[in-house]
Amino acid sequence: MTIDEIKSQIASLTAELNHHNHCYYVLNAPEISDRQFDLKLQELADLENWYPDLMLPNSPTQKVGSDLKQDFAQATGKWESAIPVTQASDVTKDFEQVAHRFRMLSLSNTYSEEEIVEFHNRTCKLLAPEQPEYVCELKFDGLAISLTYRRGQLVRAVTRGDGAKGDDVTNNIRTIKTIPLQLHGDFPDDFDVRGEIFMPLNAFETLNQQRLSEGLQPFANPRNAAAGSLKMQNPAEVEKRRLDAFFYFLSGNDLPFDNHFDNVQAARAWGFKVSDYIETCRDVNAVFDYINRWNTQRHELPFETDGIVIKVNNYRQQEILGNTAKSPRWAIAYKFKAEEVETQLLSVDFQVGRTGVVTPVANLTPVQLSGTTVKRASLHNADIIRSLDIHYDDCVYVEKGGEIIPKITGVNILKRSPESQPIAFITDCPECGTALERAEGEAGFYCPSEYACPPQMKGKIEHFISRKAMNIESLGEGKTDMLFDNNLVKKTSDLYALKYEQLFGLEKIIDQQTDKPRKISFKEKTAENILKGIENSKNAPFERVLFALGIRYVGETVAKKLALHFKNMTALMDADEEILKQADEVGDKIAASLTNYFADSRNIAMIEELRAAGLHFEINDDNLPQKASDILNGKNIVISGVFRHHSRDEYKSIIEAHGGKNVSSISKNTTFVLAGDNMGPAKYETAQTLQIPIWNEEEFLKYIDNI
Ligand code: IVH
């Protein structure tokens, strides 16, 4: 081919492929098969590889997955049909991941007033001779959300995610009363609005009281509570959480005004909740007035703010200033310093966690801090106690970070009485009396008595029932504690001996962290659900049972590898360290942990009880990816991107079941790349450079089937 012929071939392939992308992504009406498309794409990629200078700027080889969809969506306005990026990806199992139409940038932060002055000077310099006008707003402490409105209707709500794509939480967002589903007035036809989802303080307090009374762990702060609520799968439950939202940023091509302030005021008129505390500031002194005012007034607000956001108002000026990779240069967040108070240390409790780690917690003379009464503060570990040089009865400084338990940051030595003694870390477990140990290089002491120390025994049961293990949803954390405290379930195998009569009417007095003790008892339905959940768990496959046992270092992936390699529990128990290490991903540490676990007769006895209860202790061949082929023998396959038909882990198993090897990075030894949506651009480039073929899911599955 002459250069001219190559040029024209590249041009015609580019046009043709762009046309097919349009048919596929926008019209939902492909004219050619995926295979034909990929062959053409490969042909174009090969030509471009040889003649990179001839590549056209709109080449379809330069965009992968979501980019393509996004481009077509933007060009045509067909956003709804084009937006899905994945079905159920492994980033989050539960929400669809979708690309943001406008990248969700973050803000640069500062705690210092000098840096605000620097921001101002920089801004003035870049805008000279013009002067900036600023807008000051509260910085709401919640979760960022981006809403898309078309023809005045809410069509999609996406969390920030990584800024490029996030979770589609539209159904949950629709339950928030202050978020308009239909706008009124003169709104633009198509725009995105960004805001913060938060939980008002009174809703947060009610929720935590309720959780405590049900024996559940309270949320650490309103932000966590809002995040936890927004990720719930049932919108009806989300509705009960009384979430709220403020909106503070608009993106779109036909916004009515040329500045931020007027547009958010307009947004208020269309139905959005916009904070009343947004102000324009003509100069930097007005900005400091705003900061100083809110530094104290914020404690009177019915929601949490963690700072002030300062934005250049005019859009043209914003454009001149531009963005860095992460944040706009036209805005900065000033964060409030954590408030600090002085109070007296009364005593120190040593709490044993579910993994056996001992945490010292200080009891304090109650003191008001950032709107709440503080009675306890974490002292973290022995090293922190030593570095603070904290003594009994000391006057200490307490600071509230992001968590519900504040921390002690220092001691007022001037107020120390000469007789007071340094706090000594305990030597024995306060729960079971066993001598504490400290692992080499670790800051924390822990109780080694994992089978006789109540919090650790509870921790094992909690792990066993958890979602990724036996998934016994009807038994939340509070309920397993209740069964434990009533001597019904002391170890996981006891679950399978539970009877209805033991559960129905079971009572617990709850006084955990509240002043009002409450009695709860299991009703008929609760008892039935618990038993049903336990019965269903007997269907869990061997790898989940293995993971549920809670053997140190045997996480989900290792459990899968072990199950696939050894096929059944007996073979696994009989294996010595050398044999164990023949399994994928098993090294010295895991092998030693497994042999230790199986050397303990208590574990063996429990495994036998679980086996007798009917749990799966061998792999079910029906669940295995179709085995018995060596079609991929000797092939090194890299997996990249997000898939539709199987998860990445499933593809790994499929590759292995067909004799292939899954490798993590592309080299000249790679046979092909199995690519889903959003294949990493770096991987794509390496594959192109090394001329490694890229297969899509369908091609791969067809190949596997055609044996
Ligand atoms: S403006 C392009 N305004 O703070 C800039 N953000 O730390 C868009 N936030 O990710 C953000 N209150 O989630 C803006 N009044 C406010 C805000 C605010 C809270 C959040 C937002 C952002 C984070 C940055």
Side-chain angles (χ1 to χ4, degrees):
M1 270 204 273
T2 65
I3 282 291
D4 279 346
E5 281 168 339
I6 290 161
K7 253 191 206 167
S8 99
Q9 178 69 351
I10 287 182
S12 91
L13 279 169
T14 303
E16 208 184 324
L17 286 161
N18 281 339
H19 165 76
H20 289 305
N21 267 328
H22 180 80
C23 293
Y24 184 90
Y25 286 115
V26 182
L27 306 177
N28 271 335
E31 289 174 357
I32 57 172
S33 73
D34 287 1
R35 173 101 187 111
Q36 286 169 314
F37 180 91
D38 286 322
L39 284 173
K40 282 184 196 294
L41 191 66
Q42 191 59 54
E43 188 188 339
L44 177 62
D46 288 343
L47 286 173
E48 289 173 344
N49 210 19
W50 289 112
Y51 304 95
D53 293 346
L54 301 185
M55 183 196 292
L56 294 170
N58 62 340
S59 170
T61 59
Q62 297 310 295
K63 299 208 182 318
V64 204
S66 66
D67 285 352
L68 274 170
K69 296 170 192 171
Q70 194 162 338
D71 272 13
F72 286 109
Q74 271 168 344
T76 60
K78 287 217 172 196
W79 191 242
E80 297 93 322
S81 62
I83 203 167
V85 177
T86 63
Q87 305 293 305
S89 77
D90 29 7
V91 184
T92 152
K93 291 264 180 286
D94 309 309
F95 291 97
E96 190 176 34
Q97 287 256 301
V98 295
H100 287 296
R101 184 152 56 154
F102 303 96
R103 200 180 160 79
M104 281 182 82
L105 295 176
S106 174
L107 293 171
S108 57
N109 280 330
T110 177
Y111 286 87
S112 106
E113 301 200 350
E114 290 82 68
E115 280 185 28
I116 299 289
V117 174
E118 279 167 25
F119 165 78
H120 172 63
N121 291 340
R122 221 174 23 242
T123 306
C124 289
K125 204 165 147 194
L126 287 166
L127 295 180
E130 291 178 29
Q131 283 288 313
E133 178 189 50
Y134 294 112
V135 173
C136 280
E137 305 168 15
L138 300 179
K139 185 170 183 303
F140 309 105
D141 198 8
L143 285 107
I145 193 86
S146 176
L147 309 182
T148 299
Y149 282 82
R150 300 203 56 232
R151 290 180 290 281
Q153 285 196 338
L154 171 66
V155 293
R156 204 170 297 270
V158 186
T159 62
R160 182 168 183 279
D162 61 6
K165 58 185 181 328
D167 289 345
D168 180 341
V169 289
T170 315
N171 290 336
N172 285 349
I173 286 297
R174 284 181 197 279
T175 69
I176 301 176
K177 304 262 182 319
T178 50
I179 294 187
L181 301 179
Q182 171 68 55
L183 305 181
H184 36 260
D186 200 8
F187 46 79
D189 190 55
D190 182 2
F191 69 100
D192 278 12
V193 62
R194 188 169 154 180
E196 205 79 356
I197 306 292
F198 65 94
M199 187 174 283
L201 289 173
N202 58 5
F204 170 68
E205 260 140 44
T206 316
L207 175 65
N208 266 358
Q209 286 301 329
Q210 187 192 330
R211 288 178 70 84
L212 284 168
S213 73
E214 286 167 7
L216 297 172
Q217 193 69 15
F219 283 109
N221 53 47
R223 186 174 11 91
N224 285 6
S229 305
L230 205 59
K231 295 286 169 79
M232 289 196 301
Q233 294 300 305
N234 181 357
E237 288 301 312
V238 182
E239 190 164 12
K240 293 187 196 149
R241 294 288 176 91
R242 291 165 52 206
L243 293 173
D244 205 341
F246 276 121
F247 289 90
Y248 49 66
F249 185 73
L250 289 139
S251 330
N253 295 328
D254 48 357
L255 300 178
F257 297 101
D258 66 356
N259 68 81
H260 169 64
F261 186 84
D262 289 336
N263 277 329
V264 287
Q265 298 305 335
R268 187 205 306 275
W270 306 330
F272 292 106
K273 181 162 167 166
V274 171
S275 162
D276 288 336
Y277 311 119
I278 169 169
E279 285 176 21
T280 50
C281 296
R282 293 193 53 192
D283 55 30
V284 74
N285 292 331
V287 170
F288 282 119
D289 284 349
Y290 187 92
I291 289 178
N292 294 333
R293 199 159 6 108
W294 283 106
N295 202 6
T296 47
Q297 273 184 26
R298 68 187 161 119
H299 300 304
E300 288 150 35
L301 292 168
F303 50 82
E304 289 216 323
T305 64
D306 56 345
I308 298 296
V309 183
I310 303 145
K311 299 175 181 170
V312 169
N313 193 18
N314 184 284
Y315 284 163
R316 192 180 43 78
Q317 292 187 340
Q318 288 187 1
E319 227 164 89
I320 296 173
L321 295 162
N323 304 317
T324 68
K326 284 197 207 136
S327 50
R329 277 195 208 90
W330 46 262
I332 190 165
Y334 173 83
K335 301 260 273 193
F336 297 126
K337 285 177 204 70
E339 210 191 333
E340 199 177 70
V341 284
E342 194 180 316
T343 187
Q344 196 178 18
L345 175 72
L346 299 174
S347 60
V348 178
D349 290 339
F350 290 89
Q351 293 181 343
V352 187
R354 309 256 152 164
T355 55
V357 174
V358 180
T359 308
V361 178
N363 293 308
L364 308 164
T365 304
V367 61
Q368 281 299 112
L369 179 62
S370 307
T372 49
T373 311
V374 173
K375 297 184 220 166
R376 287 158 73 75
S378 174
L379 280 164
H380 300 287
N381 57 46
D383 289 348
I384 302 253
I385 293 185
R386 198 169 327 109
S387 69
L388 284 170
D389 183 31
I390 188 164
H391 288 215
Y392 288 103
D393 300 324
D394 265 349
C395 274
V396 292
Y397 300 113
V398 184
E399 185 181 282
K400 206 158 164 188
E403 302 305 308
I404 217 169
I405 300 219
K407 57 179 186 221
I408 294 188
T409 52
V411 173
N412 186 345
I413 304 276
L414 300 174
K415 294 194 183 162
R416 178 177 286 167
S417 95
E419 302 88 60
S420 83
Q421 291 299 308
I423 288 171
F425 209 89
I426 48 168
T427 53
D428 297 337
C429 176
E431 296 278 346
C432 67
T434 310
L436 298 181
E437 290 179 8
R438 190 177 199 178
E440 271 277 316
E442 303 251 328
F445 279 92
Y446 70 94
C447 166
S449 172
E450 51 181 310
Y451 299 98
C453 180
Q456 297 191 64
M457 293 161 79
K458 287 179 181 175
K460 282 187 194 299
I461 301 167
E462 250 167 46
H463 170 74
F464 185 83
I465 64 159
S466 64
R467 203 165 79 127
K468 292 188 166 175
M470 304 304 280
N471 192 21
I472 311 181
E473 264 187 4
S474 52
L475 265 181
E477 181 195 316
K479 297 198 183 93
T480 50
D481 280 6
M482 227 164 126
L483 298 177
F484 186 93
D485 296 341
N486 280 285
N487 288 324
L488 291 175
V489 178
K490 288 290 182 190
K491 57 184 190 318
T492 50
S493 53
D494 296 343
L495 285 168
Y496 295 92
L498 280 174
K499 307 234 162 3
Y500 178 83
E501 305 75 61
Q502 293 172 307
L503 295 173
F504 178 67
L506 196 68
E507 283 185 350
K508 182 177 184 183
I509 308 280
I510 294 162
D511 57 358
Q512 194 193 350
Q513 290 180 40
T514 55
D515 300 327
K516 288 176 257 146
R518 250 195 58 180
K519 199 155 90 174
I520 58 166
S521 64
F522 285 162
K523 311 245 171 1
E524 217 168 276
K525 191 105 194 111
T526 316
E528 275 167 13
N529 280 344
I530 291 176
L531 290 176
K532 209 187 308 160
I534 294 174
E535 190 56 33
N536 285 345
S537 76
K538 292 183 185 167
N539 297 324
F542 176 41
E543 64 267 24
R544 302 261 296 240
V545 178
L546 194 52
F547 171 60
L549 292 178
I551 305 170
R552 217 162 178 215
Y553 308 126
V554 179
E556 247 187 306
T557 312
V558 172
K560 259 187 211 155
K561 301 275 174 196
L562 288 169
L564 273 173
H565 189 93
F566 289 99
K567 312 278 188 285
N568 62 59
M569 195 64 166
T570 315
L572 180 64
M573 285 158 77
D574 287 347
D576 62 20
E577 288 195 22
E578 282 319 303
I579 295 184
L580 284 167
K581 283 196 280 187
Q582 286 169 8
D584 244 9
E585 301 211 6
V586 178
D588 290 341
K589 201 164 82 170
I590 299 177
S593 167
L594 281 159
T595 47
N596 269 344
Y597 183 87
F598 293 127
D600 192 317
S601 59
R602 287 168 295 197
N603 293 330
I604 305 296
M606 199 181 62
I607 288 170
E608 289 318 319
E609 282 176 33
L610 291 173
R611 195 197 293 274
L615 266 58
H616 288 301
F617 275 108
E618 56 190 41
I619 207 142
N620 177 354
D621 282 338
D622 299 344
N623 285 348
L624 282 179
Q626 285 176 14
K627 288 195 76 241
S629 134
D630 42 21
I631 193 167
L632 299 177
N633 252 1
K635 295 192 166 51
N636 297 321
I637 300 158
V638 171
I639 301 179
S640 177
V642 188
F643 295 92
R644 294 156 198 268
H645 300 291
H646 295 278
S647 68
R648 289 171 73 103
D649 276 347
E650 280 165 359
Y651 274 121
K652 272 186 207 167
S653 315
I654 294 173
I655 289 170
E656 280 158 19
H658 286 277
K661 192 162 178 216
N662 171 224
V663 288
S664 54
S665 54
I666 302 177
S667 70
K668 61 179 187 348
N669 298 326
T670 306
T671 318
F672 63 85
V673 180
L674 170 57
D677 279 340
N678 280 346
M679 175 181 173
K683 272 201 174 130
Y684 183 79
E685 217 173 296
T686 319
Q688 291 291 312
T689 316
L690 298 176
Q691 301 196 345
I692 309 291
I694 299 177
W695 291 21
N696 67 22
E697 278 186 275
E698 287 78 13
E699 272 179 304
F700 174 77
L701 291 171
K702 250 183 242 161
Y703 183 75
I704 297 293
D705 270 354
N706 281 345
I707 343 154

